[in-house]
Amino acid sequence: MRKRKGAGRPTIADVAAQAGVSSITVSRALRDPQKVSERLRAKIDKAVRALNYIPDTHASALASSRSNVVAVLVPSLTNNVFSDTLRAIYDALDASPLQVQLGNSRYSATEQERLIGIFLSQRPTAVIVSGIDQTPAARKMLEEANCPVVQIMETGPDPIDMMVGFSHYQGGRAAAQHLIDQGYRHIGFLGARMDPRTTRRLAGFRRALEDAGMFDPDLVKTTTTSSSVTLGGVLLRELARHRPDLDAVFCNNDDLALGALFGAQKAGISVPDQLGIAGFNDLEMMQAACPSLTSIRTDRYGIGRHAVNMIQAVLEGTPPPEKIIDLGFDLQMRQSSDRRHILASGPA
Amino acid sequence: MRKRKGAGRPTIADVAAQAGVSSITVSRALRDPQKVSERLRAKIDKAVRALNYIPDTHASALASSRSNVVAVLVPSLTNNVFSDTLRAIYDALDASPLQVQLGNSRYSATEQERLIGIFLSQRPTAVIVSGIDQTPAARKMLEEANCPVVQIMETGPDPIDMMVGFSHYQGGRAAAQHLIDQGYRHIGFLGARMDPRTTRRLAGFRRALEDAGMFDPDLVKTTTTSSSVTLGGVLLRELARHRPDLDAVFCNNDDLALGALFGAQKAGISVPDQLGIAGFNDLEMMQAACPSLTSIRTDRYGIGRHAVNMIQAVLEGTPPPEKIIDLGFDLQMRQSSDRRHILASGPA
DNA sequence: TGACGTGATGTTAGCGCTATCATTATGTTA
DNA sequence: TAACATAATGATAGCGCTAACATCACGTCA
């Protein structure tokens, strides 16, 4: 009957004809070569190359109810933290036939839920989703998605399926403990956005100070606006004006920490002597700053790499022994909080 | 006959049955509502909502040889310049049924070509690609792709289809001219990566200095390694050691400029008096730095927004009057290159 | 009044692949 | 050697949607 146009791209039937086999054999040879005899496989490979055949992803997905898409959901495209992890995911998937479908939830759990719905309608091979604070509906969808799911950036007690990250609570606690150990006594907290991970860093910070009998809610300065270097300076100067006894700040990310450094410099406050500064994530600029900035180093690239590894392991039928991978963190002490010279010369 | 499982998700036939119409009418009602009478449209909408129907993108793409994918190719996921543009693209496409398929070419033209091949096999609705330096094969593929193509980040004389960006050559030239105007006489160039855009900035820089009779190739310090704040400090100190007469640097991006500032601070070189610094792109941190840093402001978000607008205009049948949009740039003079106090008090 | 345009809806046949059996050839066991 | 497992290949029928044509109910105009 009437024929549709067709873009003229070769189909699996063309390959089959050229190789003298049936199309299902071509399909098998491409998807699972060991199911086809070596003789036919060679013929088919040759035909594929001769015709420059590229399988149609949509037809494949429709027929198999399965796509080659890995859905990845991050809360921000501009935050370097996520771009490092994304880069790892793209790098790791590079050699595989899997494609990334990236969604930006803008730090909104409901937006994340919406995107999960859209992405699942593409029947992805796997889902990578940031954080552990999905809405109940989103969690339910993912549990029923019938594909590997990895929650990244954070660890928690109750994975949907798998998890790679670290404890933001412990990170915040370690940063605070470090400032205490350096002899600071009026330690503030600068926080932007206050998403769930940030909030847990604050909780860890608070715990460390409470244990040391030093927690003062008046020294916690937070805002829900998004983070920036400029904001770090603004928050620092507001807090320092309000509380002249402030002698250190833990900033919930590195942008704020850099901004706090600039703010201190503008206000003539010397770092680290009059003010200690610590950040979170240890972006590359932290060690280059003058003075260099203390931060909690996190393995963002590793998180992406591990997430893909776990997915591939499941797809290959050898699920990873551990459902939860905690990559931890490292405190990188640098000049901005180094008071060893003062500590050595006597008690504060 | 034997039935396949089917994930149980409602199909267009279920909606049609519920609404008491044929499935093609449902299809039309969803894709082009004005082709269906108001009465049926209401019924169909109701059925769609009742069943929570979500169209299958793969089936649609297979049947129509057209997907809802906009392919976007950027050279880097970690460079803030591109994440700003990406954010704009995601924001602008948010209300439409179009989905972004993102590829990372890692600053490699051959990798870009490979990805274009993969993406075109998904028959995208449109393609957004960074830069104007496609390989001949890639250019040919895009010309034959039979969909809108927008080259972004840069303008040039010979668009594949459409273009949004600005002239990096003129940007580099303006930065150099500014440093000349501020009375600097031994102006260096710090460059990382040296991709095509960077190279054109250098060409503009060179032109301005040559016009002023001040170009000195010995003051151009470049590397092909990727850019970082740390690298900015390293390059600056190497150049300053080699050429003590250096009195200003134009850095081909803001990371290098920030690093140069830190490097100068570590070396005890005062900015802007002993050394002027200018960057490129005007990331948010530039104005927060201490001293604040001069930069060439570019409208990265606007580039993404315009690119999507142009695509949507074409899809709606009202192609934009201009194939090339030049969004220009603005020099933001700040403390790091401000010598008006010196210029005012007499000749250098 | 009858040939004909117009808009709304329906029928049918694919799009290019793969799931599910069916078939055939080959080896294996009692 | 009969009965049966195993491996390699094929035939067929969809997956869920839409392009292309068909039909039908109106109105229009000479």
Side-chain angles (χ1 to χ4, degrees):
Chain A
M1 271 223 76
R2 65 212 133 87
K3 259 297 198 59
R4 296 236 198 128
K5 264 295 292 300
R9 240 167 7 106
T11 72
I12 204 169
D14 298 326
V15 177
Q18 170 120 2
V21 299
S22 71
S23 32
I24 187 69
T25 304
V26 176
S27 176
R28 278 198 274 258
L30 294 174
R31 284 178 300 146
D32 199 352
Q34 65 193 24
K35 281 200 172 167
V36 171
S37 69
E38 207 167 328
R39 200 175 53 86
L40 290 191
R41 216 188 309 150
K43 274 197 193 172
I44 291 168
D45 285 354
K46 199 174 143 214
V48 164
R49 250 170 292 119
L51 294 173
N52 196 21
Y53 169 70
I54 300 173
D56 183 305
T57 53
H58 299 299
S60 168
L62 178 58
S64 65
S65 309
R66 206 178 306 119
S67 73
N68 68 339
V69 167
V70 175
V72 179
L73 274 162
V74 294
S76 164
L77 290 175
T78 37
N79 187 331
N80 277 311
V81 169
F82 299 103
S83 46
D84 283 340
T85 301
L86 269 182
R87 190 163 43 88
I89 293 171
Y90 273 83
D91 285 353
L93 289 176
D94 211 47
S96 83
L98 298 174
Q99 294 261 316
V100 174
Q101 182 71 55
L102 182 62
N104 173 12
S105 69
R106 296 166 216 197
Y107 287 103
S108 154
T110 52
E111 176 68 3
Q112 193 188 68
E113 176 184 322
R114 188 182 75 88
L115 289 170
I116 287 172
I118 292 177
F119 284 6
L120 289 183
S121 89
Q122 296 182 48
R123 304 174 190 256
T125 298
V127 177
I128 296 176
V129 57
S130 296
I132 61 177
D133 302 280
Q134 283 72 36
T135 66
R139 196 184 163 95
K140 184 150 175 292
M141 283 194 279
L142 290 173
E143 281 167 348
E144 292 169 355
N146 195 30
C147 74
V149 175
V150 188
Q151 291 163 291
I152 59 170
M153 306 319 288
E154 194 168 5
T155 52
D158 189 20
I160 293 174
D161 179 11
M162 297 179 286
M163 257 180 191
V164 199
F166 58 91
S167 165
H168 292 250
Y169 177 87
Q170 294 299 344
R173 193 169 171 183
Q177 189 60 51
H178 164 71
L179 293 172
I180 295 168
D181 292 345
Q182 290 297 309
Y184 295 106
R185 288 298 169 260
H186 303 276
I187 304 172
F189 179 94
L190 302 186
R193 178 89 60 189
M194 300 316 287
D195 60 277
R197 282 176 290 287
T198 306
T199 305
R200 284 189 272 274
R201 286 176 210 160
L202 172 55
F205 167 87
R206 176 176 184 151
R207 174 63 186 274
L209 290 197
E210 280 176 348
D211 285 355
M214 292 165 47
F215 181 68
D216 181 348
D218 201 34
L219 289 176
V220 173
K221 184 99 189 162
T222 65
T223 165
T224 54
T225 56
S226 67
S227 176
S228 70
V229 177
T230 304
L231 182 63
V234 170
L235 292 178
L236 175 75
R237 272 175 290 172
E238 285 177 6
L239 187 55
R241 187 177 313 125
H242 180 61
R243 290 290 300 260
D245 60 330
L246 178 79
D247 64 2
V249 281
F250 168 49
C251 304
N252 77 14
N253 68 39
D254 289 341
D255 285 347
L256 293 180
L258 183 61
L261 172 62
F262 289 143
Q265 288 173 340
K266 285 178 190 166
I269 299 170
S270 81
V271 176
D273 291 344
Q274 289 174 275
L275 183 77
I277 299 178
F280 201 99
N281 277 319
D282 200 29
L283 300 183
E284 176 268 334
M285 66 192 178
M286 299 299 270
Q287 69 164 317
C290 180
S292 59
L293 288 158
T294 294
S295 194
I296 298 285
R297 172 171 293 178
T298 58
D299 187 4
R300 291 150 340 250
Y301 192 90
I303 287 175
R305 192 163 32 79
H306 275 91
V308 172
N309 283 349
M310 290 171 104
I311 287 168
Q312 289 179 327
V314 171
L315 296 179
E316 285 160 11
T318 55
E322 299 294 336
K323 287 280 193 183
I324 302 179
I325 297 181
D326 187 337
L327 291 178
F329 54 83
D330 273 312
L331 184 116
Q332 299 289 317
M333 180 168 89
R334 302 217 179 82
Q335 293 166 351
S336 70
S337 67
D338 185 351
R339 293 225 291 196
R340 282 174 300 187
H341 55 292
I342 292 178
L343 295 175
S345 62
Chain B
M1 270 222 75
R2 66 210 131 89
K3 259 297 197 59
R4 298 237 197 126
K5 264 296 292 300
R9 241 167 7 104
T11 72
I12 204 169
D14 299 326
V15 177
Q18 171 119 4
V21 299
S22 71
S23 29
I24 188 71
T25 303
V26 175
S27 176
R28 278 198 273 257
L30 294 175
R31 284 178 300 147
D32 200 351
Q34 65 194 22
K35 281 199 171 167
V36 172
S37 69
E38 205 166 331
R39 199 174 55 85
L40 290 191
R41 216 186 311 149
K43 273 195 193 175
I44 291 168
D45 285 353
K46 198 173 145 213
V48 164
R49 250 171 290 119
L51 295 174
N52 196 22
Y53 169 70
I54 301 173
D56 184 305
T57 52
H58 300 299
S60 168
L62 179 59
S64 66
S65 311
R66 203 178 309 117
S67 74
N68 67 339
V69 167
V70 175
V72 179
L73 274 162
V74 294
S76 164
L77 290 175
T78 38
N79 188 332
N80 277 312
V81 168
F82 299 104
S83 45
D84 284 340
T85 301
L86 270 182
R87 190 162 44 85
I89 293 172
Y90 273 84
D91 286 353
L93 288 176
D94 211 48
S96 83
L98 298 174
Q99 295 260 315
V100 174
Q101 182 71 54
L102 182 63
N104 173 13
S105 69
R106 295 168 218 196
Y107 287 102
S108 154
T110 53
E111 176 68 3
Q112 192 188 69
E113 176 185 323
R114 189 181 75 87
L115 289 170
I116 287 172
I118 291 177
F119 284 6
L120 289 183
S121 89
Q122 296 181 46
R123 304 173 190 255
T125 298
V127 177
I128 297 176
V129 58
S130 297
I132 61 177
D133 302 279
Q134 284 72 36
T135 65
R139 195 184 164 95
K140 185 150 176 291
M141 283 194 280
L142 290 173
E143 281 167 348
E144 293 169 355
N146 195 30
C147 72
V149 175
V150 188
Q151 290 164 290
I152 59 171
M153 306 318 290
E154 194 168 4
T155 52
D158 189 22
I160 293 175
D161 179 10
M162 297 179 286
M163 258 180 189
V164 198
F166 59 91
S167 165
H168 292 251
Y169 177 87
Q170 294 300 345
R173 192 169 171 182
Q177 190 59 51
H178 164 70
L179 293 172
I180 295 168
D181 292 345
Q182 290 296 309
Y184 296 106
R185 288 299 171 260
H186 302 277
I187 304 172
F189 179 94
L190 302 186
R193 179 91 56 189
M194 299 317 287
D195 59 278
R197 281 176 290 287
T198 306
T199 305
R200 284 188 272 272
R201 286 176 210 159
L202 172 54
F205 167 88
R206 177 175 183 152
R207 173 62 186 273
L209 290 197
E210 281 175 350
D211 286 355
M214 293 165 46
F215 181 68
D216 180 350
D218 202 34
L219 289 175
V220 173
K221 183 98 189 164
T222 64
T223 165
T224 55
T225 56
S226 67
S227 176
S228 70
V229 178
T230 304
L231 181 64
V234 170
L235 291 179
L236 175 75
R237 273 175 290 171
E238 284 177 7
L239 187 55
R241 186 177 313 126
H242 179 62
R243 289 288 302 257
D245 59 330
L246 179 78
D247 65 2
V249 282
F250 168 49
C251 304
N252 77 13
N253 68 40
D254 288 341
D255 284 348
L256 293 180
L258 183 61
L261 172 61
F262 290 143
Q265 288 173 339
K266 284 178 190 167
I269 300 169
S270 82
V271 175
D273 291 345
Q274 290 175 272
L275 183 78
I277 300 179
F280 201 100
N281 277 318
D282 200 29
L283 300 182
E284 175 267 334
M285 66 192 177
M286 299 299 271
Q287 68 165 318
C290 179
S292 60
L293 288 159
T294 294
S295 194
I296 299 285
R297 172 171 293 177
T298 58
D299 187 4
R300 281 124 21 221
Y301 192 90
I303 287 175
R305 192 164 32 78
H306 275 89
V308 172
N309 284 349
M310 290 171 104
I311 287 169
Q312 289 179 329
V314 171
L315 296 179
E316 286 161 11
T318 56
E322 299 295 335
K323 287 280 191 181
I324 301 179
I325 298 182
D326 187 337
L327 292 178
F329 54 83
D330 273 311
L331 185 116
Q332 299 290 315
M333 180 168 88
R334 302 218 179 82
Q335 294 166 350
S336 70
S337 67
D338 185 351
R339 293 224 290 195
R340 283 175 299 187
H341 54 293
I342 292 178
L343 295 176
S345 61

